[in-house]
Amino acid sequence: MHKLWCLRGISTLTAFALAVEIGNWERFTGASIGAYLGLVPSEHSSGHSRRQGAITKAGNSHVRRLLVEAAWHHKPRYVVGKVLQARWDQAPQTARTRAHDRAPRGGGL
């Protein structure tokens, strides 16, 4: 859970809910978690034609909603405040580095 806290937009409750809903994160790859959550486009194919539509929404709706809300909280300018710095201090160094590398530039550790 401390690794999730390092990401902007993820609060304590969101991190806990994601940890409970997903369970074992190691069973997913970057491509397979999107399909599990229903975040992949629908597809209508026939012969050589291929049309992609809206996301399928066939997966876990609770986790999908949590991630969408976290993305909205991630949108404002990147500033490392007291709360985020305190979370970074509790997390392993690898999680802190990865969270900082994924964030838009403009802030610092």
Side-chain angles (χ1 to χ4, degrees):
M1 192 163 90
H2 291 292
K3 293 178 183 179
L4 291 172
W5 268 357
C6 289
L7 301 173
R8 289 181 58 225
I10 304 288
S11 67
T12 304
L13 186 59
T14 304
F16 183 72
L18 287 172
V20 169
E21 290 284 338
I22 297 292
N24 182 10
W25 289 83
E26 294 176 2
R27 64 185 170 144
F28 297 110
T29 64
S32 66
I33 194 160
Y36 174 75
L37 299 176
L39 293 172
V40 295
S42 61
E43 184 174 320
H44 304 283
S45 301
S46 177
H48 293 291
S49 73
R50 180 178 176 217
R51 290 186 322 162
Q52 289 186 325
I55 62 172
T56 60
K57 296 183 183 176
N60 188 322
S61 61
H62 184 232
V63 175
R64 188 171 53 248
R65 183 183 56 82
L66 289 172
L67 291 177
V68 168
E69 287 182 9
W72 277 105
H73 288 285
H74 184 278
K75 190 176 179 181
R77 189 170 77 85
Y78 179 61
V79 177
V80 179
K82 290 189 325 185
V83 173
L84 188 57
Q85 185 63 51
R87 290 178 186 168
W88 281 359
D89 293 341
Q90 294 179 9
Q93 179 61 37
T94 54
R96 285 185 286 188
T97 303
R98 185 169 184 144
H100 182 67
D101 289 345
R102 300 280 175 151
R105 293 295 151 224
L109 275 173

